[in-house]
Amino acid sequence: PFERLAEWMSAAPARLAGLERKGAIAVGRDADLVIVDPDREVTVDGSHLYHRHPVTPYHGATLKGQIAMTILRGETVFEHGQCVGRPTGQLLSRS
């Protein structure tokens, strides 16, 4: 169910990687959040993906659920379908 998505995509991978400051909303953790509109439909266009290789088996497919905003360490980095601000990536290491 949709309610388990945060566990599957955030908390469990953070535990597996030993990244104690990731994967939960709590004091002392990074403020990493994704705001999702679960009812919005979107047609996937591989040329508009934000990763190194815009190849996807979902190109042309209509999927339900769209990311509305991404917040990384308390700073908005994605909003209204666009990356905003400057790149702020950091190398993460086990705690």
Side-chain angles (χ1 to χ4, degrees):
F2 188 78
E3 294 79 19
R4 300 280 321 263
L5 193 61
E7 172 65 24
W8 296 333
M9 301 296 290
S10 185
R15 275 194 308 274
L16 183 65
L19 300 174
E20 293 179 11
R21 66 182 224 214
K22 300 287 186 183
I25 300 172
V27 174
R29 302 285 184 104
D30 288 352
D32 297 343
L33 303 168
V34 176
I35 312 303
V36 177
D37 180 345
D39 298 318
R40 183 145 187 202
E41 289 190 350
V42 61
T43 300
V44 178
D45 179 348
S47 68
H48 289 96
L49 298 178
Y50 288 102
H51 51 75
R52 186 181 303 178
H53 303 290
V55 177
T56 174
Y58 300 104
H59 180 78
T62 299
L63 305 175
K64 193 170 182 181
Q66 184 178 36
I67 296 173
M69 180 185 293
T70 303
I71 301 168
L72 179 64
R73 292 184 306 280
E75 299 291 327
T76 300
V77 295
F78 181 83
E79 187 174 27
H80 305 296
Q82 300 291 322
C83 290
V84 296
R86 59 181 181 76
T88 59
Q90 294 179 0
L91 180 61
L92 299 176
S93 59
R94 287 180 157 301
S95 303

PDB file of all heavy atoms in Angstrom, residues 47-83:
ATOM      1  N   SER A  47      12.863  12.026 -22.244  1.00  0.00           N
ATOM      2  CA  SER A  47      13.740  13.176 -22.483  1.00  0.00           C
ATOM      3  C   SER A  47      13.636  14.220 -21.373  1.00  0.00           C
ATOM      4  O   SER A  47      14.433  15.151 -21.331  1.00  0.00           O
ATOM      5  CB  SER A  47      13.417  13.822 -23.831  1.00  0.00           C
ATOM      6  OG  SER A  47      12.145  14.437 -23.802  1.00  0.00           O
ATOM      7  N   HIS A  48      12.692  14.069 -20.471  1.00  0.00           N
ATOM      8  CA  HIS A  48      12.524  15.026 -19.375  1.00  0.00           C
ATOM      9  C   HIS A  48      12.873  14.441 -18.009  1.00  0.00           C
ATOM     10  O   HIS A  48      12.529  15.003 -16.985  1.00  0.00           O
ATOM     11  CB  HIS A  48      11.081  15.552 -19.348  1.00  0.00           C
ATOM     12  CG  HIS A  48      10.780  16.464 -20.486  1.00  0.00           C
ATOM     13  ND1 HIS A  48      10.176  16.019 -21.643  1.00  0.00           N
ATOM     14  CD2 HIS A  48      11.030  17.777 -20.666  1.00  0.00           C
ATOM     15  CE1 HIS A  48      10.051  17.031 -22.469  1.00  0.00           C
ATOM     16  NE2 HIS A  48      10.562  18.103 -21.907  1.00  0.00           N
ATOM     17  N   LEU A  49      13.571  13.320 -17.997  1.00  0.00           N
ATOM     18  CA  LEU A  49      13.963  12.714 -16.734  1.00  0.00           C
ATOM     19  C   LEU A  49      15.243  13.354 -16.218  1.00  0.00           C
ATOM     20  O   LEU A  49      16.114  13.748 -16.992  1.00  0.00           O
ATOM     21  CB  LEU A  49      14.158  11.203 -16.899  1.00  0.00           C
ATOM     22  CG  LEU A  49      12.914  10.421 -17.310  1.00  0.00           C
ATOM     23  CD1 LEU A  49      13.255   8.946 -17.493  1.00  0.00           C
ATOM     24  CD2 LEU A  49      11.798  10.598 -16.294  1.00  0.00           C
ATOM     25  N   TYR A  50      15.360  13.435 -14.887  1.00  0.00           N
ATOM     26  CA  TYR A  50      16.521  14.058 -14.260  1.00  0.00           C
ATOM     27  C   TYR A  50      17.488  13.009 -13.730  1.00  0.00           C
ATOM     28  O   TYR A  50      17.709  12.878 -12.536  1.00  0.00           O
ATOM     29  CB  TYR A  50      16.081  14.981 -13.118  1.00  0.00           C
ATOM     30  CG  TYR A  50      15.412  16.235 -13.594  1.00  0.00           C
ATOM     31  CD1 TYR A  50      14.033  16.366 -13.557  1.00  0.00           C
ATOM     32  CD2 TYR A  50      16.166  17.284 -14.097  1.00  0.00           C
ATOM     33  CE1 TYR A  50      13.412  17.511 -13.995  1.00  0.00           C
ATOM     34  CE2 TYR A  50      15.554  18.444 -14.553  1.00  0.00           C
ATOM     35  CZ  TYR A  50      14.186  18.548 -14.489  1.00  0.00           C
ATOM     36  OH  TYR A  50      13.578  19.686 -14.933  1.00  0.00           O
ATOM     37  N   HIS A  51      18.056  12.227 -14.628  1.00  0.00           N
ATOM     38  CA  HIS A  51      19.150  11.342 -14.251  1.00  0.00           C
ATOM     39  C   HIS A  51      20.076  11.186 -15.442  1.00  0.00           C
ATOM     40  O   HIS A  51      19.784  11.651 -16.546  1.00  0.00           O
ATOM     41  CB  HIS A  51      18.676  10.003 -13.687  1.00  0.00           C
ATOM     42  CG  HIS A  51      17.673   9.257 -14.510  1.00  0.00           C
ATOM     43  ND1 HIS A  51      17.984   8.589 -15.651  1.00  0.00           N
ATOM     44  CD2 HIS A  51      16.346   9.093 -14.332  1.00  0.00           C
ATOM     45  CE1 HIS A  51      16.900   8.012 -16.145  1.00  0.00           C
ATOM     46  NE2 HIS A  51      15.888   8.313 -15.369  1.00  0.00           N
ATOM     47  N   ARG A  52      21.191  10.580 -15.215  1.00  0.00           N
ATOM     48  CA  ARG A  52      22.264  10.542 -16.208  1.00  0.00           C
ATOM     49  C   ARG A  52      21.827   9.945 -17.541  1.00  0.00           C
ATOM     50  O   ARG A  52      22.172  10.458 -18.593  1.00  0.00           O
ATOM     51  CB  ARG A  52      23.449   9.759 -15.660  1.00  0.00           C
ATOM     52  CG  ARG A  52      24.651   9.804 -16.605  1.00  0.00           C
ATOM     53  CD  ARG A  52      25.804   9.007 -16.089  1.00  0.00           C
ATOM     54  NE  ARG A  52      26.178   9.508 -14.764  1.00  0.00           N
ATOM     55  CZ  ARG A  52      27.141   8.987 -14.039  1.00  0.00           C
ATOM     56  NH1 ARG A  52      27.822   7.957 -14.481  1.00  0.00           N
ATOM     57  NH2 ARG A  52      27.423   9.475 -12.860  1.00  0.00           N
ATOM     58  N   HIS A  53      21.091   8.850 -17.508  1.00  0.00           N
ATOM     59  CA  HIS A  53      20.699   8.158 -18.739  1.00  0.00           C
ATOM     60  C   HIS A  53      19.178   8.165 -18.859  1.00  0.00           C
ATOM     61  O   HIS A  53      18.509   7.362 -18.228  1.00  0.00           O
ATOM     62  CB  HIS A  53      21.223   6.710 -18.734  1.00  0.00           C
ATOM     63  CG  HIS A  53      22.697   6.631 -18.568  1.00  0.00           C
ATOM     64  ND1 HIS A  53      23.562   7.034 -19.550  1.00  0.00           N
ATOM     65  CD2 HIS A  53      23.455   6.221 -17.528  1.00  0.00           C
ATOM     66  CE1 HIS A  53      24.811   6.864 -19.125  1.00  0.00           C
ATOM     67  NE2 HIS A  53      24.761   6.380 -17.898  1.00  0.00           N
ATOM     68  N   PRO A  54      18.627   9.082 -19.642  1.00  0.00           N
ATOM     69  CA  PRO A  54      17.159   9.204 -19.742  1.00  0.00           C
ATOM     70  C   PRO A  54      16.524   8.093 -20.583  1.00  0.00           C
ATOM     71  O   PRO A  54      15.789   8.341 -21.532  1.00  0.00           O
ATOM     72  CB  PRO A  54      16.970  10.577 -20.377  1.00  0.00           C
ATOM     73  CG  PRO A  54      18.188  10.777 -21.201  1.00  0.00           C
ATOM     74  CD  PRO A  54      19.309  10.089 -20.447  1.00  0.00           C
ATOM     75  N   VAL A  55      16.828   6.855 -20.238  1.00  0.00           N
ATOM     76  CA  VAL A  55      16.237   5.706 -20.901  1.00  0.00           C
ATOM     77  C   VAL A  55      15.341   5.030 -19.869  1.00  0.00           C
ATOM     78  O   VAL A  55      15.765   4.787 -18.739  1.00  0.00           O
ATOM     79  CB  VAL A  55      17.324   4.719 -21.390  1.00  0.00           C
ATOM     80  CG1 VAL A  55      16.696   3.488 -22.002  1.00  0.00           C
ATOM     81  CG2 VAL A  55      18.246   5.407 -22.383  1.00  0.00           C
ATOM     82  N   THR A  56      14.112   4.761 -20.247  1.00  0.00           N
ATOM     83  CA  THR A  56      13.188   4.152 -19.302  1.00  0.00           C
ATOM     84  C   THR A  56      12.210   3.234 -20.020  1.00  0.00           C
ATOM     85  O   THR A  56      11.749   3.571 -21.113  1.00  0.00           O
ATOM     86  CB  THR A  56      12.408   5.222 -18.520  1.00  0.00           C
ATOM     87  OG1 THR A  56      11.424   4.574 -17.703  1.00  0.00           O
ATOM     88  CG2 THR A  56      11.716   6.221 -19.432  1.00  0.00           C
ATOM     89  N   PRO A  57      11.885   2.108 -19.432  1.00  0.00           N
ATOM     90  CA  PRO A  57      10.869   1.241 -20.037  1.00  0.00           C
ATOM     91  C   PRO A  57       9.476   1.846 -19.899  1.00  0.00           C
ATOM     92  O   PRO A  57       8.525   1.351 -20.497  1.00  0.00           O
ATOM     93  CB  PRO A  57      10.984  -0.060 -19.231  1.00  0.00           C
ATOM     94  CG  PRO A  57      11.564   0.350 -17.929  1.00  0.00           C
ATOM     95  CD  PRO A  57      12.463   1.519 -18.230  1.00  0.00           C
ATOM     96  N   TYR A  58       9.344   2.924 -19.132  1.00  0.00           N
ATOM     97  CA  TYR A  58       8.044   3.560 -18.909  1.00  0.00           C
ATOM     98  C   TYR A  58       7.752   4.697 -19.883  1.00  0.00           C
ATOM     99  O   TYR A  58       6.705   5.331 -19.796  1.00  0.00           O
ATOM    100  CB  TYR A  58       7.956   4.076 -17.473  1.00  0.00           C
ATOM    101  CG  TYR A  58       8.111   2.978 -16.464  1.00  0.00           C
ATOM    102  CD1 TYR A  58       9.306   2.820 -15.772  1.00  0.00           C
ATOM    103  CD2 TYR A  58       7.091   2.074 -16.221  1.00  0.00           C
ATOM    104  CE1 TYR A  58       9.463   1.794 -14.854  1.00  0.00           C
ATOM    105  CE2 TYR A  58       7.231   1.040 -15.310  1.00  0.00           C
ATOM    106  CZ  TYR A  58       8.423   0.909 -14.635  1.00  0.00           C
ATOM    107  OH  TYR A  58       8.580  -0.113 -13.736  1.00  0.00           O
ATOM    108  N   HIS A  59       8.679   4.984 -20.826  1.00  0.00           N
ATOM    109  CA  HIS A  59       8.467   6.083 -21.784  1.00  0.00           C
ATOM    110  C   HIS A  59       7.126   5.899 -22.491  1.00  0.00           C
ATOM    111  O   HIS A  59       6.826   4.851 -23.036  1.00  0.00           O
ATOM    112  CB  HIS A  59       9.602   6.148 -22.808  1.00  0.00           C
ATOM    113  CG  HIS A  59       9.426   7.256 -23.792  1.00  0.00           C
ATOM    114  ND1 HIS A  59       9.704   8.557 -23.473  1.00  0.00           N
ATOM    115  CD2 HIS A  59       8.964   7.255 -25.067  1.00  0.00           C
ATOM    116  CE1 HIS A  59       9.435   9.321 -24.525  1.00  0.00           C
ATOM    117  NE2 HIS A  59       8.985   8.549 -25.491  1.00  0.00           N
ATOM    118  N   GLY A  60       6.305   6.935 -22.437  1.00  0.00           N
ATOM    119  CA  GLY A  60       4.998   6.907 -23.083  1.00  0.00           C
ATOM    120  C   GLY A  60       3.883   6.341 -22.220  1.00  0.00           C
ATOM    121  O   GLY A  60       2.706   6.472 -22.561  1.00  0.00           O
ATOM    122  N   ALA A  61       4.223   5.731 -21.106  1.00  0.00           N
ATOM    123  CA  ALA A  61       3.205   5.155 -20.220  1.00  0.00           C
ATOM    124  C   ALA A  61       2.572   6.254 -19.359  1.00  0.00           C
ATOM    125  O   ALA A  61       3.239   7.201 -18.952  1.00  0.00           O
ATOM    126  CB  ALA A  61       3.829   4.103 -19.311  1.00  0.00           C
ATOM    127  N   THR A  62       1.302   6.121 -19.079  1.00  0.00           N
ATOM    128  CA  THR A  62       0.618   7.027 -18.174  1.00  0.00           C
ATOM    129  C   THR A  62       0.556   6.362 -16.807  1.00  0.00           C
ATOM    130  O   THR A  62       0.047   5.254 -16.663  1.00  0.00           O
ATOM    131  CB  THR A  62      -0.795   7.357 -18.681  1.00  0.00           C
ATOM    132  OG1 THR A  62      -0.675   7.990 -19.960  1.00  0.00           O
ATOM    133  CG2 THR A  62      -1.520   8.296 -17.732  1.00  0.00           C
ATOM    134  N   LEU A  63       1.131   7.046 -15.814  1.00  0.00           N
ATOM    135  CA  LEU A  63       1.215   6.515 -14.454  1.00  0.00           C
ATOM    136  C   LEU A  63       0.460   7.429 -13.494  1.00  0.00           C
ATOM    137  O   LEU A  63       0.331   8.629 -13.744  1.00  0.00           O
ATOM    138  CB  LEU A  63       2.673   6.413 -14.014  1.00  0.00           C
ATOM    139  CG  LEU A  63       3.604   5.612 -14.923  1.00  0.00           C
ATOM    140  CD1 LEU A  63       5.041   5.698 -14.422  1.00  0.00           C
ATOM    141  CD2 LEU A  63       3.154   4.172 -15.020  1.00  0.00           C
ATOM    142  N   LYS A  64       0.007   6.874 -12.396  1.00  0.00           N
ATOM    143  CA  LYS A  64      -0.700   7.652 -11.395  1.00  0.00           C
ATOM    144  C   LYS A  64       0.255   7.990 -10.260  1.00  0.00           C
ATOM    145  O   LYS A  64       0.956   7.125  -9.748  1.00  0.00           O
ATOM    146  CB  LYS A  64      -1.893   6.864 -10.866  1.00  0.00           C
ATOM    147  CG  LYS A  64      -2.847   7.685 -10.060  1.00  0.00           C
ATOM    148  CD  LYS A  64      -4.116   6.913  -9.789  1.00  0.00           C
ATOM    149  CE  LYS A  64      -5.089   7.777  -9.021  1.00  0.00           C
ATOM    150  NZ  LYS A  64      -6.312   7.044  -8.733  1.00  0.00           N
ATOM    151  N   GLY A  65       0.260   9.269  -9.865  1.00  0.00           N
ATOM    152  CA  GLY A  65       1.141   9.752  -8.811  1.00  0.00           C
ATOM    153  C   GLY A  65       2.261  10.585  -9.406  1.00  0.00           C
ATOM    154  O   GLY A  65       2.923  10.157 -10.336  1.00  0.00           O
ATOM    155  N   GLN A  66       2.437  11.796  -8.880  1.00  0.00           N
ATOM    156  CA  GLN A  66       3.484  12.678  -9.394  1.00  0.00           C
ATOM    157  C   GLN A  66       4.159  13.411  -8.247  1.00  0.00           C
ATOM    158  O   GLN A  66       3.500  13.858  -7.307  1.00  0.00           O
ATOM    159  CB  GLN A  66       2.912  13.692 -10.377  1.00  0.00           C
ATOM    160  CG  GLN A  66       3.976  14.570 -11.005  1.00  0.00           C
ATOM    161  CD  GLN A  66       3.396  15.531 -12.015  1.00  0.00           C
ATOM    162  OE1 GLN A  66       2.306  16.037 -11.845  1.00  0.00           O
ATOM    163  NE2 GLN A  66       4.140  15.773 -13.080  1.00  0.00           N
ATOM    164  N   ILE A  67       5.477  13.546  -8.336  1.00  0.00           N
ATOM    165  CA  ILE A  67       6.217  14.312  -7.339  1.00  0.00           C
ATOM    166  C   ILE A  67       5.931  15.787  -7.561  1.00  0.00           C
ATOM    167  O   ILE A  67       6.119  16.305  -8.664  1.00  0.00           O
ATOM    168  CB  ILE A  67       7.729  14.025  -7.424  1.00  0.00           C
ATOM    169  CG1 ILE A  67       7.978  12.564  -7.075  1.00  0.00           C
ATOM    170  CG2 ILE A  67       8.515  14.957  -6.507  1.00  0.00           C
ATOM    171  CD1 ILE A  67       9.395  12.104  -7.288  1.00  0.00           C
ATOM    172  N   ALA A  68       5.488  16.466  -6.501  1.00  0.00           N
ATOM    173  CA  ALA A  68       5.192  17.894  -6.579  1.00  0.00           C
ATOM    174  C   ALA A  68       6.384  18.725  -6.103  1.00  0.00           C
ATOM    175  O   ALA A  68       6.638  19.809  -6.630  1.00  0.00           O
ATOM    176  CB  ALA A  68       3.960  18.226  -5.734  1.00  0.00           C
ATOM    177  N   MET A  69       7.110  18.218  -5.101  1.00  0.00           N
ATOM    178  CA  MET A  69       8.223  18.982  -4.528  1.00  0.00           C
ATOM    179  C   MET A  69       9.186  18.027  -3.835  1.00  0.00           C
ATOM    180  O   MET A  69       8.772  17.020  -3.266  1.00  0.00           O
ATOM    181  CB  MET A  69       7.694  19.992  -3.510  1.00  0.00           C
ATOM    182  CG  MET A  69       8.751  20.834  -2.841  1.00  0.00           C
ATOM    183  SD  MET A  69       8.071  21.915  -1.536  1.00  0.00           S
ATOM    184  CE  MET A  69       7.076  23.026  -2.499  1.00  0.00           C
ATOM    185  N   THR A  70      10.483  18.361  -3.890  1.00  0.00           N
ATOM    186  CA  THR A  70      11.508  17.616  -3.158  1.00  0.00           C
ATOM    187  C   THR A  70      12.300  18.609  -2.317  1.00  0.00           C
ATOM    188  O   THR A  70      12.732  19.648  -2.817  1.00  0.00           O
ATOM    189  CB  THR A  70      12.454  16.874  -4.119  1.00  0.00           C
ATOM    190  OG1 THR A  70      11.679  16.009  -4.956  1.00  0.00           O
ATOM    191  CG2 THR A  70      13.481  16.054  -3.365  1.00  0.00           C
ATOM    192  N   ILE A  71      12.487  18.259  -1.058  1.00  0.00           N
ATOM    193  CA  ILE A  71      13.229  19.099  -0.122  1.00  0.00           C
ATOM    194  C   ILE A  71      14.416  18.277   0.370  1.00  0.00           C
ATOM    195  O   ILE A  71      14.251  17.159   0.848  1.00  0.00           O
ATOM    196  CB  ILE A  71      12.331  19.530   1.054  1.00  0.00           C
ATOM    197  CG1 ILE A  71      11.119  20.293   0.520  1.00  0.00           C
ATOM    198  CG2 ILE A  71      13.125  20.363   2.060  1.00  0.00           C
ATOM    199  CD1 ILE A  71      10.027  20.515   1.538  1.00  0.00           C
ATOM    200  N   LEU A  72      15.616  18.823   0.214  1.00  0.00           N
ATOM    201  CA  LEU A  72      16.853  18.132   0.590  1.00  0.00           C
ATOM    202  C   LEU A  72      17.557  18.935   1.679  1.00  0.00           C
ATOM    203  O   LEU A  72      17.915  20.097   1.462  1.00  0.00           O
ATOM    204  CB  LEU A  72      17.759  17.983  -0.631  1.00  0.00           C
ATOM    205  CG  LEU A  72      19.097  17.316  -0.427  1.00  0.00           C
ATOM    206  CD1 LEU A  72      18.920  15.870   0.003  1.00  0.00           C
ATOM    207  CD2 LEU A  72      19.925  17.385  -1.703  1.00  0.00           C
ATOM    208  N   ARG A  73      17.715  18.326   2.842  1.00  0.00           N
ATOM    209  CA  ARG A  73      18.320  18.996   4.005  1.00  0.00           C
ATOM    210  C   ARG A  73      17.671  20.354   4.258  1.00  0.00           C
ATOM    211  O   ARG A  73      18.334  21.337   4.555  1.00  0.00           O
ATOM    212  CB  ARG A  73      19.835  19.109   3.844  1.00  0.00           C
ATOM    213  CG  ARG A  73      20.538  17.751   3.910  1.00  0.00           C
ATOM    214  CD  ARG A  73      22.050  17.853   3.855  1.00  0.00           C
ATOM    215  NE  ARG A  73      22.555  18.599   2.724  1.00  0.00           N
ATOM    216  CZ  ARG A  73      22.681  18.104   1.484  1.00  0.00           C
ATOM    217  NH1 ARG A  73      22.337  16.869   1.237  1.00  0.00           N
ATOM    218  NH2 ARG A  73      23.164  18.845   0.522  1.00  0.00           N
ATOM    219  N   GLY A  74      16.352  20.406   4.127  1.00  0.00           N
ATOM    220  CA  GLY A  74      15.593  21.619   4.428  1.00  0.00           C
ATOM    221  C   GLY A  74      15.511  22.629   3.303  1.00  0.00           C
ATOM    222  O   GLY A  74      14.855  23.653   3.448  1.00  0.00           O
ATOM    223  N   GLU A  75      16.142  22.377   2.163  1.00  0.00           N
ATOM    224  CA  GLU A  75      16.133  23.303   1.024  1.00  0.00           C
ATOM    225  C   GLU A  75      15.348  22.696  -0.132  1.00  0.00           C
ATOM    226  O   GLU A  75      15.585  21.534  -0.495  1.00  0.00           O
ATOM    227  CB  GLU A  75      17.558  23.612   0.557  1.00  0.00           C
ATOM    228  CG  GLU A  75      18.431  24.266   1.603  1.00  0.00           C
ATOM    229  CD  GLU A  75      18.002  25.692   1.933  1.00  0.00           C
ATOM    230  OE1 GLU A  75      17.507  26.399   1.021  1.00  0.00           O
ATOM    231  OE2 GLU A  75      18.161  26.095   3.092  1.00  0.00           O
ATOM    232  N   THR A  76      14.448  23.462  -0.735  1.00  0.00           N
ATOM    233  CA  THR A  76      13.688  22.981  -1.884  1.00  0.00           C
ATOM    234  C   THR A  76      14.622  22.838  -3.079  1.00  0.00           C
ATOM    235  O   THR A  76      15.320  23.786  -3.441  1.00  0.00           O
ATOM    236  CB  THR A  76      12.538  23.948  -2.224  1.00  0.00           C
ATOM    237  OG1 THR A  76      11.677  24.043  -1.080  1.00  0.00           O
ATOM    238  CG2 THR A  76      11.732  23.467  -3.417  1.00  0.00           C
ATOM    239  N   VAL A  77      14.641  21.640  -3.690  1.00  0.00           N
ATOM    240  CA  VAL A  77      15.514  21.392  -4.842  1.00  0.00           C
ATOM    241  C   VAL A  77      14.725  21.038  -6.108  1.00  0.00           C
ATOM    242  O   VAL A  77      15.283  21.028  -7.199  1.00  0.00           O
ATOM    243  CB  VAL A  77      16.555  20.285  -4.537  1.00  0.00           C
ATOM    244  CG1 VAL A  77      17.511  20.736  -3.437  1.00  0.00           C
ATOM    245  CG2 VAL A  77      15.891  18.973  -4.184  1.00  0.00           C
ATOM    246  N   PHE A  78      13.418  20.740  -5.948  1.00  0.00           N
ATOM    247  CA  PHE A  78      12.570  20.409  -7.096  1.00  0.00           C
ATOM    248  C   PHE A  78      11.167  20.906  -6.794  1.00  0.00           C
ATOM    249  O   PHE A  78      10.614  20.631  -5.726  1.00  0.00           O
ATOM    250  CB  PHE A  78      12.545  18.897  -7.322  1.00  0.00           C
ATOM    251  CG  PHE A  78      11.724  18.461  -8.505  1.00  0.00           C
ATOM    252  CD1 PHE A  78      12.254  18.488  -9.787  1.00  0.00           C
ATOM    253  CD2 PHE A  78      10.419  18.036  -8.344  1.00  0.00           C
ATOM    254  CE1 PHE A  78      11.499  18.092 -10.878  1.00  0.00           C
ATOM    255  CE2 PHE A  78       9.654  17.631  -9.422  1.00  0.00           C
ATOM    256  CZ  PHE A  78      10.195  17.659 -10.700  1.00  0.00           C
ATOM    257  N   GLU A  79      10.609  21.675  -7.764  1.00  0.00           N
ATOM    258  CA  GLU A  79       9.269  22.225  -7.571  1.00  0.00           C
ATOM    259  C   GLU A  79       8.673  22.583  -8.925  1.00  0.00           C
ATOM    260  O   GLU A  79       9.387  23.061  -9.807  1.00  0.00           O
ATOM    261  CB  GLU A  79       9.375  23.474  -6.687  1.00  0.00           C
ATOM    262  CG  GLU A  79       8.070  24.061  -6.263  1.00  0.00           C
ATOM    263  CD  GLU A  79       8.270  25.201  -5.281  1.00  0.00           C
ATOM    264  OE1 GLU A  79       9.319  25.879  -5.293  1.00  0.00           O
ATOM    265  OE2 GLU A  79       7.342  25.422  -4.489  1.00  0.00           O
ATOM    266  N   HIS A  80       7.384  22.321  -9.089  1.00  0.00           N
ATOM    267  CA  HIS A  80       6.673  22.639 -10.333  1.00  0.00           C
ATOM    268  C   HIS A  80       7.340  21.998 -11.552  1.00  0.00           C
ATOM    269  O   HIS A  80       7.459  22.610 -12.610  1.00  0.00           O
ATOM    270  CB  HIS A  80       6.548  24.152 -10.533  1.00  0.00           C
ATOM    271  CG  HIS A  80       5.906  24.862  -9.390  1.00  0.00           C
ATOM    272  ND1 HIS A  80       4.601  24.646  -9.012  1.00  0.00           N
ATOM    273  CD2 HIS A  80       6.392  25.776  -8.522  1.00  0.00           C
ATOM    274  CE1 HIS A  80       4.309  25.403  -7.978  1.00  0.00           C
ATOM    275  NE2 HIS A  80       5.384  26.085  -7.652  1.00  0.00           N
ATOM    276  N   GLY A  81       7.846  20.773 -11.395  1.00  0.00           N
ATOM    277  CA  GLY A  81       8.429  20.039 -12.505  1.00  0.00           C
ATOM    278  C   GLY A  81       9.828  20.450 -12.894  1.00  0.00           C
ATOM    279  O   GLY A  81      10.357  19.994 -13.909  1.00  0.00           O
ATOM    280  N   GLN A  82      10.474  21.299 -12.088  1.00  0.00           N
ATOM    281  CA  GLN A  82      11.810  21.801 -12.422  1.00  0.00           C
ATOM    282  C   GLN A  82      12.762  21.683 -11.233  1.00  0.00           C
ATOM    283  O   GLN A  82      12.355  21.840 -10.089  1.00  0.00           O
ATOM    284  CB  GLN A  82      11.734  23.291 -12.802  1.00  0.00           C
ATOM    285  CG  GLN A  82      10.854  23.598 -13.989  1.00  0.00           C
ATOM    286  CD  GLN A  82      11.451  23.071 -15.294  1.00  0.00           C
ATOM    287  OE1 GLN A  82      12.655  23.128 -15.499  1.00  0.00           O
ATOM    288  NE2 GLN A  82      10.604  22.542 -16.152  1.00  0.00           N
ATOM    289  N   CYS A  83      14.035  21.433 -11.523  1.00  0.00           N
ATOM    290  CA  CYS A  83      15.062  21.536 -10.492  1.00  0.00           C
ATOM    291  C   CYS A  83      15.246  23.013 -10.186  1.00  0.00           C
ATOM    292  O   CYS A  83      15.276  23.838 -11.103  1.00  0.00           O
ATOM    293  CB  CYS A  83      16.379  20.934 -10.970  1.00  0.00           C
ATOM    294  SG  CYS A  83      16.317  19.142 -11.134  1.00  0.00           S
TER     295      CYS A  83
END
